[in-house]
Amino acid sequence: MKDTTDLSRTTGTAALALVCDAPTRAGFDPGEAAAGAFGRAGVSLAHLGDVRRLFDGVPLGRVRLALPGGPTGMWLLALCLVAAEEQGLAPDELNGTTHEERPAATALALRLRGDLTAYASASLPLWSFRTGTLPGSGPSAAGEGEECAAVAALARWRETREESTDRQGLADPYLWPSVRQSLERLADAAIEGDCLMEATLDCVRAGVTTGEWARTLRAALGTYEAPATSPRETPGTPSRAPSAPHPFPPRGGRHRAPAGVR
């Protein structure tokens, strides 16, 4: 990812692939996933501050972004939209593609994809969706001590994000909801069937982290078990591998803000 970003800065190339590590794509903050997963084959993005640093010096109005889809496809696009907002861009000026590496198969995956595509259709005329692997590559693995440093940086972010210059898109501190309010709005939108994208944008502006966003959806939407493959599939029918439980299960149950969220 670093090479891709540097290329954009130095040569003005029009394409920039946001290659994320597996914990980010699955909805985990640094320190929450299995050992060795942090920073492997991609960059870790825990909150808006990470995206600000990543795009420092990159004019988002002059590049075409390529983002991964999946469980955090909506979250990653929201991070980029707020970063572009801080550069003075309107949503209809952001150009890019969300790459769905595997077609959505669960009810909730379809919900997330449906809300995302509905929002893009209404507000992002230059955004598209494509089935296939995200182009580009990230670092093979994080260096020694990088995850510990990221966990410490995340703790500092959580301590300071209530300051208007560290959260809320550098905007009026009374304009956007607080961290707790934005997570409660996200949970309400999930339960009531409202589009999740607007609530997700408020979460980004408030300084919510990737893990908090994902945990809020899990708490609001209950537990999901993927259906088993039918043993009576007819010969010649393409087999479907049983899906793992989706990180964001479908609806059911009320939300409570994650522990430690103010």
Side-chain angles (χ1 to χ4, degrees):
M1 180 62 205
K2 182 177 184 298
D3 292 340
T4 305
T5 304
D6 287 346
L7 183 64
S8 178
R9 293 176 183 175
T10 57
T11 70
T13 184
L16 194 159
L18 187 62
V19 183
C20 299
D21 64 4
T24 299
R25 297 196 308 272
F28 294 103
D29 287 332
E32 293 182 347
F38 172 84
R40 182 175 294 278
V43 66
S44 173
L45 295 177
H47 50 71
L48 179 58
D50 287 344
V51 179
R52 287 175 184 155
R53 288 188 291 273
L54 189 66
F55 290 151
D56 181 30
V58 178
L60 292 176
R62 296 172 55 188
V63 301
R64 180 174 181 83
L65 295 173
L67 306 184
T72 54
M74 176 182 290
W75 175 250
L76 295 172
L77 177 54
L79 286 169
C80 293
L81 281 168
V82 175
E85 177 182 283
E86 293 183 352
Q87 293 187 10
L89 296 177
D92 60 6
E93 296 178 275
L94 191 66
N95 190 342
T97 302
T98 292
H99 291 253
E100 292 289 352
E101 298 180 6
R102 287 180 291 182
T106 69
L108 191 28
L110 291 172
R111 163 84 185 278
L112 287 168
R113 175 74 179 272
D115 283 2
L116 179 56
T117 53
Y119 177 86
S121 177
S123 304
L124 307 177
L126 301 180
W127 203 264
S128 61
F129 295 85
R130 178 178 302 171
T131 300
T133 303
L134 177 69
S137 61
S140 59
E144 185 177 355
E146 287 187 26
E147 184 170 10
C148 291
V151 171
L154 180 62
R156 290 193 298 271
W157 172 265
R158 286 175 171 151
E159 290 173 357
T160 62
R161 62 186 171 182
E162 295 297 335
E163 300 297 327
S164 62
T165 54
D166 283 336
R167 70 174 183 91
Q168 301 175 335
L170 300 179
D172 183 339
Y174 298 102
L175 182 60
W176 309 117
S178 68
V179 172
R180 177 176 288 278
Q181 288 170 333
S182 66
L183 289 173
E184 288 174 348
R185 180 187 176 191
L186 176 68
D188 288 343
I191 293 167
E192 294 169 8
D194 297 334
C195 181
L196 295 171
M197 189 63 182
E198 291 291 351
T200 295
L201 287 166
D202 271 354
C203 285
V204 171
R205 296 179 182 120
V208 167
T209 70
T210 301
E212 289 169 345
W213 178 81
R215 285 194 299 275
T216 296
L217 289 179
R218 288 194 291 265
L221 300 171
T223 302
Y224 176 76
E225 292 294 337
T229 303
S230 170
R232 297 184 179 181
E233 290 180 348
T234 57
T237 301
S239 61
R240 296 175 297 168
S243 301
H246 198 277
F248 304 152
R251 303 167 67 182
R254 292 293 296 177
H255 160 73
R256 300 187 66 180
V261 173
R262 292 176 287 181

